Amino acid sequence: MSDAVRFWRRGAWISLAVLLLALLSLAPYFTSSTEMVRMRHALLLADSGARGHGGESDFNWTPANVPADFLLERGAPYPEFAAVVDRLGLKEMSSDWERALAISRHLLGSSPVLSGGAIQADLRQTHRSIVTQGQGYCGDFVRAFVGLAIAAGLPVRAWAFSFDGFGGHGHIWPEIWNRQLGRWQLVGIFNNNYFLGPEGVPLSALEFRRALREDPSSLRIARLDPVARPGFVIEEKAWDYYRQGLGQWYMVWGNNVFSYDRAPLVRTLGSVSRSLEQLGGIAQGVYPPIRVLEEPGNRLLVEALQRVRVHLLIVGGLVIAALLALLASLLGCRQARRSSLPASRERVTGSGESRPAGDAGQRRTSAALPGALQPHLVVLTNLFPHSGTPGAGMFIRARMFRVAAELPMTVVVPVPWFPLQGLIRCFVPNYRPPAPRAEVQEGIRILLPRYFSLPGLFRGLDSFFIALGCLRLVQRLRREAPVNIIDAHFAYPCGHAAVLLGRWLGLPVTITMRGSEVSLSADPVRRRKIVAALNGASRVFSVSDSLRRHAGELGADTNRIRVVGNGVDLACFFPEEQAAARSRLGLPLNAPVLVSAGGLVERKGFHRVIDCLPALRERFPGLRYLVVGGPSPEGDIGARLKQQVTSLGLDGVVHFLGALPAAELRWPLSAADVFVLATSNEGWANVFLEAMACGLPVVTTDVGGNAEVVSAPHLGSIVPFADAGALTQALAEALDRHWDRQRLRDYAAANTWDSRVAVLVTEFRALARSVPAAVGASSRRLETNG
């Protein structure tokens, strides 16, 4: 190696080290969505010194004297928004407050169920998702409200507050300028409320804040829409919530929702990921800054946010410099290598073909595939139990290992990775737990290849990186065994990745939809890839008919989707004697007992059940509630749930049992009287059948495939989602009712895994017989030409 090559290689390694260290210094900001919002706020923080001290006087402007640096919307509204304004008759209304109420009721009342969940889409899709599917968090509702207000000619701006030092934990709400009264008025759109002072007039944001701090007894809360769900069932909880953020208020310094949506960088990068879209908006100058309402109590928090901004700017400079240096080093190294090479390093093969000297000759070709193929599956799923995450994806394992009793298979579990990510666990212990490279479970190989994944960024590219990370592994599996079907679970990311692999390798693909498709389809990038995956697969299975219908609404061909529900293992789930089960768990023998089981994530709704307990205990004083579950790849709200229990005075009433293996779950189920799951989304919840197998009726919400499992009154009851009153009433009736436990067990026995697995095996065998020639030809082409 020449000195020049060594010099440039050393430069490349130094540049790479600087680049990685600079990026690693940002790792704490990528540990959660809250920290990513804090990073964004730091980049958007406006300098209060340019206008004054950042106190209330900076925010007392009116539409007649809008600050020059406020990003005021000057573009035309979308025709869709103008059509809503016409349909609601907003321009004909006599007062601006009447217009604000009409917009609020349109957003709050258009969908029969308000299910929540961040939409992460453009403005038009955000509005559609709110009014047709009930999706959206406060930020989504505010964007849609602001767009409709501007379309109606209503002056509007947005306030927000934080609980965590201007991170992502907080709230946002719009404020309209009432031209008839000449004052701002606050609209609590997401929580369906507004605030009245002693005079009975809706207050501005600053008036509300001042009254909450100085004279809270003078405040009254009212609903924007009397028939829509309230944000807070218990009014005192609302006041506590708003008091928490009193010291961390800020204004979004712009209302340019249409101009932002139309910005070229926003539109281009938004097709890749939401995070990139926001960075594009910041870079193009169309993402509104934030201006903090400064006071002595939050000065240190503002200074901390300013330090984050300085850190980000320094890192940005280092990254640019390191990338340029790395590029120069690589080019220099390449030139130095060429200069040091001999005139020719080629040799001629016996066939007269010129090859580099380092080439060993012909590539190995795979053996011809047999004419009559038996299925040999590669199961592709990023959610599967292994030693790193033993509780993840147990339902996939239960289903596919039963298929494995009939057909050979290898399980491939892609694991997200980026350089030095293990150091993040110094800050967040459970972040991306270490995973083995391979292990064997019940004689079946579990392989865990890595794929590139920056936390929180480029999530729209996950399927491509999964396919890329698994390509060589699947090629190797085909050389070792006659692998001829890729069976993916969840349409995104693994379903889309499987379709890419199938296209590259000439393999048929099956996809099982399991429920996450509903929430992921709110993102337009992922929605397109979900539809492409479903339409590109050879077979599609859905665990419920509701999922099949949802796929059709997205644009998938429902005629190609077969519903194959989940089942229950009666050898694992059967009733134990209740007294013995309660004694084992230390529960009173005669107390009414509720139980829920699942990952401790917001979607599962444990917090919604806990909210019902104070009212239930008035009727059932000895009530106990068992919570079975622990952290999952989806998140962990365990600490928040325990804080909620303490704040409601329910210590000793709610028992957190932690995550239990399947063989142990029958004990808390046998100890209980009623199973409840107030979930916001499910495909087909196995745990319902597991509860019924132990003799328990089920109370759950009318979402996803729940009504397909709890399909008759003798099995339990279905209640509207986010209706605390209906959930409380249903639980009270379930605790009072005498249930036919044997009939519940008989229903579970009619829904075992055997019938489901038989359908899957038949489908896999038919698919393998239908494509052998194409698979073999593709295999030979790939191995010869690859």
Side-chain angles (χ1 to χ4, degrees), residues 146-487:
V146 169
L148 290 168
I150 291 171
L154 192 59
V156 63
R157 62 187 189 180
W159 283 92
F161 61 82
S162 160
F163 304 133
D164 58 355
F166 304 105
H169 188 200
H171 190 64
I172 185 170
W173 38 19
E175 186 178 45
I176 63 106
W177 177 257
N178 190 321
R179 290 168 289 190
Q180 292 74 43
L181 300 180
R183 62 184 297 165
W184 291 104
Q185 292 178 313
L186 186 63
V187 182
I189 177 63
F190 183 69
N191 286 329
N192 187 17
N193 58 28
Y194 62 97
F195 307 99
L196 301 168
E199 299 83 10
V201 177
L203 298 177
S204 71
L206 292 177
E207 288 170 336
F208 165 72
R209 182 175 182 269
R210 199 178 304 120
L212 186 59
R213 177 170 281 174
E214 299 172 2
D215 187 16
S217 62
S218 68
L219 289 170
R220 287 189 298 118
I221 194 168
R223 286 196 191 183
L224 295 163
D225 185 346
V227 299
R229 63 99 176 94
F232 295 93
V233 177
I234 302 172
E235 186 172 312
E236 186 54 40
K237 292 185 68 175
W239 300 125
D240 289 342
Y241 177 78
Y242 297 128
R243 286 189 196 101
Q244 288 182 57
L246 274 177
Q248 301 178 43
W249 276 49
Y250 59 94
M251 181 179 285
V252 179
W253 210 246
N255 65 3
N256 57 325
V257 290
F258 297 113
S259 300
Y260 174 86
D261 229 36
R262 294 184 175 115
L265 273 179
V266 170
R267 296 179 64 182
T268 301
L269 297 178
S271 64
V272 180
S273 81
R274 181 71 170 164
S275 300
L276 274 181
E277 173 205 300
Q278 293 174 350
L279 287 175
I282 294 171
Q284 195 169 340
V286 294
Y287 202 114
I290 66 168
R291 190 175 296 279
V292 174
L293 176 52
E294 294 186 27
E295 57 185 19
N298 65 22
R299 187 61 216 166
L300 292 177
L301 295 175
V302 174
E303 290 174 355
L305 201 61
Q306 290 169 336
R307 287 194 295 272
V308 172
R309 178 169 62 178
V310 171
H311 177 204
L312 293 174
L313 293 175
I314 292 173
V315 168
L318 284 174
V319 166
I320 292 172
L323 285 173
L324 291 174
L326 180 61
L327 179 61
S329 298
L330 292 174
L331 291 174
C333 188
R334 181 182 181 186
Q335 185 61 38
R337 281 177 176 273
R338 285 182 174 178
S339 300
S340 62
L341 285 175
S344 175
R345 291 193 58 195
E346 294 186 340
R347 62 181 176 86
V348 179
T349 64
S351 62
E353 179 183 2
S354 178
R355 291 183 178 273
D359 195 329
Q362 293 282 348
R363 295 180 183 267
R364 182 174 61 176
T365 59
S366 59
L369 297 174
L373 285 175
Q374 287 298 315
H376 190 125
L377 308 181
V378 170
V379 176
L380 182 67
T381 171
N382 59 349
L383 196 65
F384 199 86
H386 55 78
S387 57
T389 54
M394 294 295 293
F395 49 93
I396 299 176
R397 184 181 188 273
R399 180 169 172 136
M400 297 313 299
F401 271 27
R402 286 171 171 80
V403 173
E406 303 287 334
L407 303 173
M409 74 171 52
T410 303
V411 180
V412 175
V413 185
V415 176
W417 168 91
F418 75 97
L420 305 177
Q421 71 176 11
L423 294 180
I424 294 182
R425 286 191 286 275
C426 298
F427 307 98
V428 185
N430 293 320
Y431 178 77
R432 291 186 179 178
R437 291 285 179 175
E439 60 186 34
V440 176
Q441 299 177 18
E442 298 183 18
I444 298 172
R445 280 196 302 171
I446 316 298
L447 305 176
L448 299 98
R450 272 49 176 174
Y451 70 95
F452 181 73
S453 173
L454 281 173
L457 294 176
F458 315 119
R459 302 310 301 269
L461 295 176
D462 276 355
S463 58
F464 172 76
F465 285 122
I466 287 174
L468 206 60
C470 295
L471 177 60
R472 293 183 63 186
L473 173 62
V474 177
Q475 285 178 311
R476 176 168 61 82
L477 291 175
R478 296 185 72 193
R479 291 193 293 267
E480 295 173 356
V483 168
N484 51 20
I485 295 175
I486 303 175
D487 174 55

